[in-house]
Amino acid sequence: CRNLILVLGDQLSPALSSLAGCDPARDIVLMCEVAEETGYVRHHQKKLVLILSAMRHFAEELRALGHRVCYRQLDAPDNRGSFTGELIRAVEAFEPERIIVTEPGEYRVLEAMREWATQTGRPVEIRPDDRFLCSHETFQVWATGRREMVMEFFYRDMRRRTGLLMEGDKPVGGRWNFDSENRKPAKPDLFRPKRPRFSPDAITRAVMDLVTNRFGDHMGTVDGFFFPVTRQQAEEAADRFLDDFLPHFGDTQDAMLRGDPFLNHSLLSFSINIGLLEPMALCRAAERAYLEGRAPINAVEGFIRQIIGWREYVRGIYWLHMPDYVSMNFLAAGRPLPSFFWTGETNMNCLATVIRETIDNAYAHHIQRLMVTGNFAMLAGLDPHALHEWYLEVYADAFEWVEVPNVIGMSQFADGGIMGSKPYAASGAYISKMSDYCESCAYDVRRKTGEGACPFNALYWDFLDRNAEKLSRNHRLAQPYAAWRRMDDSQRDSYRRSARLFLEQLDAGSDV
Ligand code: FAD
Ligand code: DLZ
Ligand code: SF4
């Protein structure tokens, strides 16, 4: 053939750059399920079902568009187990003049791609991934010479560049950011509309069998899988979100409620990340909802900020700072992850709830990831690299370019402040304010130290004390450090003792 076009499992978009100019008469599209990708972490079973089923459906979509697709299943007896191995096999079979790919979302895969020309004896064209709105070059120019990289300023540039929610050069509604209106706790809402659930078809059921047989010891089960696996289903899920949930998105954005794992979140990250939804089209649809009076500005601005702001920003940070970024450990934390991260078996109700929901759904929303599991990990000094692997494993939307900056940077401050200007550390009071988890917890959130006290309370002060040399000069932490210094010695000792006792129990593997 003329061109051999390799499409990866998170590149399931017909408008993908590598497919531009593809001539079905002369070019072949290669897609491969390979052990290297299913095995670089022990992916949650529902994540595996999502990706493999969506890949198989995308191959069908491409065939319906007239493309010639060579699709390699994981259980094919001669599957060579890696992108490189399968690419070489395809080169031997089809003798292409050239190989074309869209750049991957992971540094590891980019490094492999750079060897392909030598390994196959064919020129390899690596095209930019223009599904993102900000190119590497634009981000680099934006970041160059800045003392402090602040997402908010990047976001404003993105609003100007895309014209989203703009009136000329002014933000719609007179403000760039309505976050101050989005920090409310939530009340149980029995009338909240139900999520669309997509029943597995024959392709998904075959993948579910494969995953159960081969990866049945990974987190979760395939049972109850309901994610969209085709573009049409993802678009239906997006429409339902825009109609039913977006109007309340802002109000409950930071809230956490028992028995309501999704609140008004979109559950669209995995569809966007694997290419079933296009970020800009989604933002335009949300903007329309505001302009037509179907959703308020705080909701729509908040949603659009997550996508053209945070999502693009974290990708910029990842590529700017890899390969070193993933091993950063500014606070020199090294404690292994407790086993309850895989079972949810802990008396701390916030962690038990979030981890059990993660096991059930391969999903947790942002505040659960940041202020429950992430916050606990940072306060307890868990190893950020092990934590990064955990997040990559358990969430269906986890790909390195987005997961690493969120974990190493935003949640653990292991990058020393590249992503955010201060660590997201909080005591039990924050969790108590934003959730109903504490009401049924074995620990008492109001007790600061001693028997039965919420562990987050002592861990919070102990974290600040332990890391004072690295953090006390951070002006955004001036207030808590001043409060720490104002305490009398016995109070400070009591916090240190409680934290030490808790961490000793954790290290001993005792029930906590
Ligand atoms: P919504 O709350 O409905 O938000 C809308 C969209 O905005 C999301 O679908 C997503 O595309 C985007 N978005 C929101 N916040 C972020 C963010 N911080 N970074 C990038 N995009 C964002 N997101 C991932 O896609 N993959 C990950 O592996 C991932 N790991 C995370 C780990 C930690 C520790 C933290 C704190 C956050 C992580 N996030 C990750 C970001 C965020 O939590 C998820 O995007 C979000 O929870 C997905 O659910 P949703 O689609 O319902 O989001
Ligand atoms: C995550 C994943 C998994 C589990 N399996 C495959 C696969 O078998 N084949 C494939 O092409 N892609 C898979 N992926 C997604 C890739 O890991 C992802 O494309 C790279 O990490 C680059 O982002
Ligand atoms: Fe979590 Fe503490 Fe509240 Fe229990 S009391 S749910 S451990 S914050």
Side-chain angles (χ1 to χ4, degrees):
C1 69
R2 181 185 64 161
N3 296 324
L4 180 64
I5 301 168
L6 173 63
V7 172
L8 309 183
D10 54 356
Q11 300 185 336
L12 312 180
S13 320
L16 194 72
S17 59
S18 59
L19 292 168
C22 173
D23 175 359
R26 291 189 293 168
D27 302 333
I28 291 181
V29 178
L30 171 66
M31 295 182 68
C32 35
E33 301 173 0
V34 287
E36 198 167 74
E37 298 310 303
T38 56
Y40 59 79
V41 288
R42 290 166 54 83
H43 302 283
H44 192 294
Q45 294 189 46
K46 287 196 170 72
K47 180 182 183 188
L48 288 166
V49 175
L50 169 75
I51 291 166
L52 301 183
S53 173
M55 283 178 69
R56 291 183 185 190
H57 282 95
F58 185 63
E60 293 307 313
E61 186 184 349
L62 287 180
R63 286 187 183 119
L65 291 169
H67 291 285
R68 276 196 294 165
V69 182
C70 169
Y71 191 94
R72 301 281 295 156
Q73 295 202 347
L74 194 62
D75 46 6
D78 58 344
N79 188 309
R80 293 196 186 170
S82 68
F83 287 142
T84 304
E86 279 300 313
L87 186 73
I88 291 172
R89 195 197 60 81
V91 168
E92 287 160 2
F94 304 120
E95 301 188 330
E97 290 164 23
R98 208 161 57 124
I99 295 162
I100 302 179
V101 283
T102 290
E103 61 176 321
E106 194 172 334
Y107 191 84
R108 166 186 68 88
V109 181
L110 182 64
E111 282 206 303
M113 281 182 182
R114 288 181 174 143
E115 302 298 319
W116 286 349
T118 318
Q119 287 163 325
T120 62
R122 301 293 193 287
V124 177
E125 184 184 336
I126 304 177
R127 296 183 177 168
D129 190 344
D130 55 17
R131 295 174 301 170
F132 290 95
L133 307 168
C134 180
S135 69
H136 298 310
E137 294 71 28
T138 307
F139 192 83
Q140 222 152 23
V141 169
W142 179 84
T144 306
R146 256 165 223 271
R147 243 181 340 115
E148 233 184 1
M149 294 211 279
V150 179
M151 200 300 282
E152 184 62 26
F153 296 122
F154 171 79
Y155 165 58
R156 290 180 192 176
D157 273 7
M158 291 298 288
R159 287 272 294 277
R160 289 191 194 95
R161 206 153 349 120
T162 56
L164 281 163
L165 294 179
M166 295 295 290
E167 271 164 350
D169 57 356
K170 299 258 175 345
V172 165
R175 270 154 62 192
W176 291 103
N177 183 318
F178 290 79
D179 225 10
S180 55
E181 288 158 42
N182 293 351
R183 294 192 183 121
K184 303 182 191 109
K187 287 200 188 64
D189 178 357
L190 298 174
F191 301 105
R192 203 187 310 290
K194 294 273 169 284
R195 293 283 157 180
R197 299 178 78 88
F198 301 93
S199 315
D201 63 2
I203 293 181
T204 303
R205 284 198 302 274
V207 172
M208 287 163 83
D209 288 343
L210 170 80
V211 170
T212 305
N213 291 334
R214 239 177 119 139
F215 307 102
D217 58 344
H218 287 202
M219 183 183 272
T221 68
V222 303
D223 301 335
F225 179 85
F226 70 91
F227 295 162
V229 290
T230 64
R231 186 166 329 284
Q232 205 187 358
Q233 290 176 344
E235 278 164 7
E236 193 185 323
D239 287 346
R240 289 283 293 277
F241 165 70
L242 293 165
D243 288 345
D244 294 347
F245 302 98
L246 177 66
H248 315 286
F249 176 81
D251 296 340
T252 55
Q253 204 180 343
D254 286 2
M256 299 176 277
L257 269 187
R258 275 176 296 150
D260 197 346
F262 311 135
L263 289 154
N264 292 299
H265 291 278
S266 69
L267 259 79
L268 296 177
S269 51
F270 33 81
S271 302
I272 306 171
N273 291 352
I274 63 176
L276 298 185
L277 291 175
E278 204 218 314
M280 193 59 192
L282 200 54
C283 290
R284 287 269 173 241
E287 182 188 45
R288 249 189 331 272
Y290 167 70
L291 295 174
E292 291 168 6
R294 288 179 279 119
I297 186 70
N298 68 311
V300 174
E301 186 281 317
F303 181 70
I304 288 179
R305 173 157 29 88
Q306 305 310 311
I307 296 189
I308 65 167
W310 282 112
R311 189 169 185 275
E312 296 286 331
Y313 186 71
V314 301
R315 178 186 185 245
I317 296 276
Y318 178 81
W319 287 108
L320 201 60
H321 294 282
M322 278 301 279
D324 303 333
Y325 199 85
V326 70
S327 1
M328 286 185 182
N329 190 355
F330 177 67
L331 299 174
R335 187 163 270 114
L337 263 55
S339 59
F340 66 72
F341 268 67
W342 282 270
T343 62
E345 283 166 22
T346 164
N347 297 321
M348 292 177 278
N349 195 36
C350 51
L351 283 158
T353 307
V354 172
I355 294 168
R356 282 191 196 128
E357 288 176 0
T358 300
I359 295 169
D360 287 348
N361 304 320
Y363 176 88
H365 65 70
H366 188 68
I367 289 299
Q368 294 179 314
R369 297 186 205 196
L370 185 64
M371 299 313 290
V372 178
T373 38
N375 182 30
F376 175 81
M378 182 169 65
L379 298 186
L382 305 190
D383 173 3
H385 198 269
L387 188 75
H388 136 66
E389 290 187 330
W390 183 81
Y391 277 99
L392 194 58
E393 172 179 325
V394 304
Y395 291 116
D397 58 19
F399 297 89
E400 256 201 31
W401 66 268
V402 51
E403 175 273 330
V404 164
N406 270 301
V407 175
I408 298 290
M410 187 189 296
S411 131
Q412 298 302 294
F413 206 67
D415 66 355
I418 293 174
M419 260 288 279
S421 48
K422 76 168 190 144
Y424 279 96
S427 67
Y430 176 88
I431 295 171
S432 171
K433 181 172 150 229
M434 297 311 298
S435 79
D436 59 358
Y437 297 155
C438 303
E439 291 163 21
S440 49
C441 183
Y443 294 103
D444 184 348
V445 73
R446 286 157 312 197
R447 293 194 59 172
K448 306 289 179 214
T449 56
E451 189 76 16
C454 166
F456 282 77
N457 293 336
L459 286 175
Y460 172 76
W461 291 111
D462 189 61
F463 166 80
L464 290 179
D465 185 36
R466 237 185 305 137
N467 294 295
E469 210 174 293
K470 288 173 177 153
L471 299 178
S472 62
R473 281 182 302 278
N474 183 317
H475 64 275
R476 295 196 62 197
L477 292 174
Q479 233 179 1
Y481 273 108
W484 175 246
R485 280 191 294 269
R486 273 198 308 274
M487 284 179 205
D488 56 45
D489 285 347
S490 68
Q491 170 117 53
R492 277 198 296 257
D493 277 346
S494 158
Y495 277 127
R496 288 189 188 113
R497 207 170 34 249
S498 278
R500 197 179 57 239
L501 276 173
F502 177 84
L503 292 173
E504 279 169 6
Q505 278 180 297
L506 200 65
D507 291 342
S510 315
D511 284 347
V512 288

